[in-house]
């Protein structure tokens, strides 16, 4: 995983913990929305990194042919 995706996952986990500890419903909901957003960003960063690696591997393979 990349540094960005690691950061996003850490923020999502922190938001999840804040949601669990929240006593007010609106705070809990806000934290849950933040967690979902951070997880979405992490997923996107991971997919981008995997796509980049795949593209680089294809490019390297074509260069050796």
């Amino acid at each position: 995983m990349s540094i960005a995706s690691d950061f996003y996952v850490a923020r999502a986990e922190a938001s999840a913990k804040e949601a669990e500890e929240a006593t007010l419903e609106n705070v809990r909901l806000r934290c849950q929305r933040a967690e979902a957003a951070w997880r979405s960003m992490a997923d996107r960063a991971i997919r981008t990194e995997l796509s980049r690696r795949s593209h680089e591997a294809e490019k390297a393979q074509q260069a050796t042919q």
Side-chain angles (χ1 to χ4, degrees), residues 5-56:
S5 61
D6 290 342
F7 174 76
Y8 298 150
V9 168
R11 291 303 308 145
E13 291 172 359
S15 293
K17 184 177 181 194
E18 290 174 29
E20 287 178 16
E21 296 172 352
T23 56
L24 299 173
E25 183 65 18
N26 62 328
V27 174
R28 183 177 9 268
L29 292 174
R30 183 192 70 214
C31 292
Q32 289 171 339
R33 286 190 306 269
E35 177 189 6
W38 285 116
R39 291 205 187 278
S40 175
M41 287 185 275
D43 291 343
R44 193 174 318 128
I46 291 167
R47 282 193 314 269
T48 300
E49 180 64 25
L50 292 175
S51 176
R52 182 178 296 123
R53 288 181 187 173
S54 175
H55 180 70
E56 288 173 356

